[in-house]
Amino acid sequence: MKIVILGGGVIGVSAAYFLGARGHEVEVIERKDTSARETSFANGGQLSFCHAEPWANPAVFPKIVKWMFKDDAPLVLRPRADMEMIKWGLKFIANCSKSRAQANSVTLLRLGLYSKKKMEWFRQFSGVKFDNLREGILHIYSDEQEFENAIAQAKFQDRFGAPAEIADYNKCVHYEPMLEHAGNPIKGGIYQPLDESGDPFTFTQALAKLCQSEYKAVFHYNTDIKFLDTEGGRINSVVTDKGVFKGDAYIMSLGSYSPLYLRPLGIHVPVYPMKGYSITFPANHYTPKMSLTDTEHKIVYSRLGDRLRIAGTAEFSGYNTKIRPERVAPIARAVRALLPKCEYDKPESEWACLRPSTPDGPPIIGKTKYNNLYMNTGHGTLGWTQAAGSATLITDIIEGRPTEISLDGMGVDRF
Ligand SMILES: Cc1cc2nc3c(=O)[nH]c(=O)nc-3n(C[C@H](O)[C@H](O)[C@H](O)COP(=O)(O)OP(=O)(O)OC[C@H]3O[C@@H](n4cnc5c(N)ncnc54)[C@H](O)[C@@H]3O)c2cc1C
């Protein structure tokens, strides 16, 4: 089959590689001059297969009210007359109940554990190197109540196959000795041994090259998609500024921009851009070796070879990727507090981009009402983590094979 993939981020390129390995002819359309230049460029680097707590949960709802309009809060809402944002927000609130959060957790975990297994395949089959660390992730807590909530979530997840160790302060330092110098008090941690980290940009770039050299996939870079042309319940072609592209099937993987191209087709998906930031420092003697999550500040740390990537914060302000110093400053402050010995002052680089977020958490993977248009989008905070599993699922769906895991909670129809 000839398959046209819209978008060359980690989601589009992972699918291109898997489809190529299954013998399909693949074309990828991407507006940037190379792959992974938008949200897949400098994210937190965590392959957090077992991090299955959605943002929409009972504990976050009261906090949102407290955080609202505070410029250095982990989550900031900039109210605007934007119906899509309002509709998304109402769906988010509806998913904050305990029962909805647990159901969404189970879906995220199913996809996360499947992605772990499929990432193993990608790593071995492709041989790509991406500063991959497979030492687990340690989530650290400085608030007693947050720690207790996390223990309850870890116990819940354990029932679904995600092991976790509850660690006291000494155990946290045992896992990551650099925490001995932490400026913040650490009440305890949750260690998730199956989790990993790695550089999504290096991974995606390497995979795109392999797609071209091994599977003769064609990447149309610097090509801006304008719209999808339809005819009789099917997609007829993709119209771009460089001409028209045709295939037997089309996959929507435009990240946060997906809904803008689906709406004219009468497909309404609540994927909204959630802006986040990252900063990167060169590693030094006091830089942590393993991946950490500072839950109080909602910030993640990943060691990517000789660099330390720190990412976090969420801001709802539409399609705006401008770097605002007042949003970078709290991240830098949190780093200085946790790792004072690193003496980090000015980051090597600062970056901001948009997470393609659904209000309940899981992505949208599956068929649409057009019988040759498929979705693989809306991966939110976990797109790097879920790329390998999502690529395999979308390939099976297009080929009409039964998927290895249930797609419950991932379809378009859930909205
Ligand atoms: C600060 C931050 C930290 C994060 N940390 C993590 C983490 O630690 N672990 C994790 O798993 N996930 C993390 N994420 C989330 C993850 O980065 C995303 O879920 C993932 O990158 C989404 O990939 P994508 O391919 O769907 O989107 P993108 O990478 O944005 O790809 C979509 C592509 O479509 C292209 N495109 C858009 N419109 C057009 C058009 N009209 N024509 C042609 N091309 C177009 C874009 O150029 C882009 O390349 C983080 C995100 C952010 C912002």
Side-chain angles (χ1 to χ4, degrees):
M1 240 195 271
K2 179 174 173 189
I3 295 154
V4 178
I5 300 177
L6 287 71
V10 69
I11 296 298
V13 174
S14 299
Y17 186 74
F18 201 72
L19 284 159
R22 286 260 182 98
H24 297 283
E25 192 186 334
V26 176
E27 294 198 14
V28 178
I29 309 179
E30 167 55 52
R31 65 180 168 193
K32 298 286 180 183
D33 59 359
T34 176
S35 306
R37 283 284 169 193
E38 294 209 10
T39 313
S40 308
F41 180 60
N43 72 22
Q46 287 193 333
L47 289 160
S48 37
F49 306 112
C50 298
H51 180 69
E53 188 174 32
W55 271 73
N57 67 63
V60 90
F61 188 58
K63 281 190 213 156
I64 291 178
V65 181
K66 196 174 85 189
W67 286 337
M68 248 186 193
F69 318 120
K70 244 183 100 197
D71 233 3
D72 62 350
L75 186 145
V76 167
L77 187 67
R78 306 214 171 274
R80 24 200 332 250
D82 178 349
M83 267 320 284
E84 296 308 319
M85 186 191 203
I86 293 165
K87 284 193 274 181
W88 190 98
L90 292 173
K91 288 194 171 74
F92 180 89
I93 292 167
N95 277 284
C96 282
S97 68
K98 189 172 173 198
S99 61
R100 286 303 317 140
Q102 286 194 337
N104 294 328
S105 259
V106 172
T107 305
L108 287 169
L109 200 51
R110 194 180 338 115
L111 180 57
L113 293 172
Y114 184 61
S115 295
K116 162 99 185 159
K117 187 171 142 196
K118 292 297 155 185
M119 188 49 140
E120 193 64 51
W121 179 88
F122 269 80
R123 192 172 22 232
Q124 292 198 4
F125 195 76
S126 70
V128 296
K129 303 273 181 282
F130 52 99
D131 287 325
N132 186 201
L133 272 185
R134 305 171 72 188
E135 313 277 321
I137 294 179
L138 179 67
H139 300 252
I140 50 175
Y141 298 84
S142 44
D143 178 272
E144 198 72 56
Q145 185 58 50
E146 293 252 358
F147 189 32
E148 274 171 31
N149 293 349
I151 292 173
Q153 175 73 16
K155 286 185 178 157
F156 172 73
Q157 292 192 186
D158 190 48
R159 287 168 33 207
F160 297 91
E165 186 187 340
I166 296 155
D168 61 12
Y169 168 77
N170 289 330
K171 202 72 207 234
C172 289
V173 174
H174 163 80
Y175 279 122
E176 179 44 73
M178 292 309 147
L179 289 178
E180 193 190 342
H181 311 293
N184 298 336
I186 294 175
K187 291 268 182 253
I190 307 276
Y191 173 64
Q192 292 181 314
L194 299 185
D195 288 348
E196 308 178 14
S197 58
D199 187 343
F201 177 67
T202 316
F203 176 86
T204 312
Q205 289 267 308
L207 224 51
K209 287 200 178 89
L210 285 178
C211 285
Q212 295 168 79
S213 60
E214 291 186 4
Y215 305 130
K216 307 293 167 236
V218 182
F219 281 65
H220 302 280
Y221 290 123
N222 297 310
T223 303
D224 200 352
I225 295 165
K226 298 293 178 201
F227 62 91
L228 282 84
D229 181 42
T230 63
E231 195 181 309
R234 288 177 66 77
I235 303 299
N236 184 37
S237 63
V238 184
V239 180
T240 76
D241 63 346
K242 300 276 162 60
V244 167
F245 297 89
K246 281 177 179 284
D248 301 309
Y250 301 80
I251 308 178
M252 172 56 70
S253 294
L254 292 175
S256 293
Y257 300 85
S258 303
L260 309 185
Y261 297 87
L262 291 167
R263 236 172 270 152
L265 308 180
I267 302 173
H268 297 274
V269 289
V271 173
Y272 197 82
M274 190 206 279
K275 187 173 175 181
Y277 287 83
S278 79
I279 52 180
T280 306
F281 290 100
N284 63 31
H285 181 66
Y286 294 102
T287 304
K289 306 246 173 344
M290 75 178 301
S291 186
L292 302 170
T293 299
D294 169 354
T295 45
E296 185 187 339
H297 299 99
K298 286 206 169 286
I299 291 175
V300 304
Y301 293 71
S302 290
R303 177 74 178 257
L304 304 174
D306 56 3
R307 296 164 299 149
L308 179 68
R309 168 77 43 75
I310 303 115
T313 81
E315 186 179 329
F316 290 89
S317 54
Y319 289 86
N320 164 0
T321 55
K322 193 165 173 258
I323 297 177
R324 296 171 58 229
E326 63 275 31
R327 294 296 289 156
V328 178
I331 305 180
R333 263 201 308 277
V335 178
R336 279 196 294 274
L338 189 70
L339 305 172
K341 285 259 183 189
C342 283
E343 296 184 346
Y344 281 141
D345 191 18
K346 181 106 189 76
E348 195 175 77
S349 62
E350 298 175 351
W351 173 82
C353 214
L354 308 171
R355 303 173 183 94
S357 302
T358 59
D360 54 357
I364 306 171
I365 302 173
K367 295 177 179 174
T368 69
K369 63 182 183 181
Y370 294 87
N371 61 15
N372 61 347
L373 175 64
Y374 299 84
M375 299 255 219
N376 190 15
T377 192
H379 292 77
T381 56
L382 290 169
W384 169 216
T385 302
Q386 297 167 341
S390 304
T392 318
L393 291 176
I394 200 66
T395 302
D396 285 338
I397 293 167
I398 291 177
E399 291 181 340
R401 295 185 198 217
T403 52
E404 289 176 288
I405 59 164
S406 160
L407 295 166
D408 276 0
M410 295 180 220
V412 188
D413 49 356
R414 73 185 194 268
F415 301 111

